[in-house]
Amino acid sequence: QVQLVESGGGLVQPGGSLRLSCAASRSIFSAYAMGWYRQAPGKQRELVAAITPGGSTNYADSVKGRFTISRDNAKNMVYLQMNSLKPEDTARYYCSARPTVLASSNKYYWGQGTQVTVSS
């Protein structure tokens, strides 16, 4: 089993920045793609950013140039640096782990989320 715990959310003004953190309970990054999703009330959950075991990244068009996903393998941590925040970024943000063929399990893992609110 893997537990994912997010932190770093909060209230920030438009144009501000936040750094979200995701702590994994064990070393999984060599076999799992890690991602950040977000979900606002009444909307579908969407992928914001992801990073593969090889280090490749991808982002939603709405956050390109503003958000950066990174990973610290030694600390079992994944981060999402969010800059130039907009009110439309307001959502609950979730950390996820997707197994690759290298994983011994085919389970998806999901954190409980952390709330990000962008408002003046």
Side-chain angles (χ1 to χ4, degrees):
Q1 275 285 2
V2 177
Q3 285 76 49
L4 303 174
V5 180
E6 303 95 334
S7 62
L11 176 64
V12 64
Q13 294 183 352
S17 298
L18 283 174
R19 187 198 194 204
L20 305 184
S21 298
C22 172
S25 60
R26 63 179 179 88
S27 180
I28 62 169
F29 301 152
S30 63
Y32 288 78
M34 305 301 298
W36 287 96
Y37 288 76
R38 68 185 181 188
Q39 188 169 29
K43 306 195 74 173
Q44 293 185 11
R45 184 173 297 185
E46 65 172 340
L47 177 66
V48 176
I51 184 167
T52 70
S56 298
T57 59
N58 64 283
Y59 299 90
D61 288 342
S62 59
V63 307
K64 286 181 179 177
R66 299 189 298 121
F67 291 10
T68 304
I69 188 170
S70 61
R71 184 182 66 203
D72 187 329
N73 293 353
K75 296 181 179 180
N76 298 329
M77 297 287 291
V78 180
Y79 307 98
L80 184 68
Q81 179 66 45
M82 305 186 295
N83 298 326
S84 302
L85 284 162
K86 305 173 181 180
E88 49 263 47
D89 295 319
T90 296
R92 192 164 184 86
Y93 285 71
Y94 299 88
C95 181
S96 69
R98 188 193 76 223
T100 71
V101 294
L102 275 56
S104 58
S105 171
N106 61 2
K107 295 180 180 178
Y108 280 72
Y109 295 99
W110 226 284
Q112 294 301 304
T114 185
Q115 180 68 33
V116 173
T117 301
V118 184
S119 176
S120 59

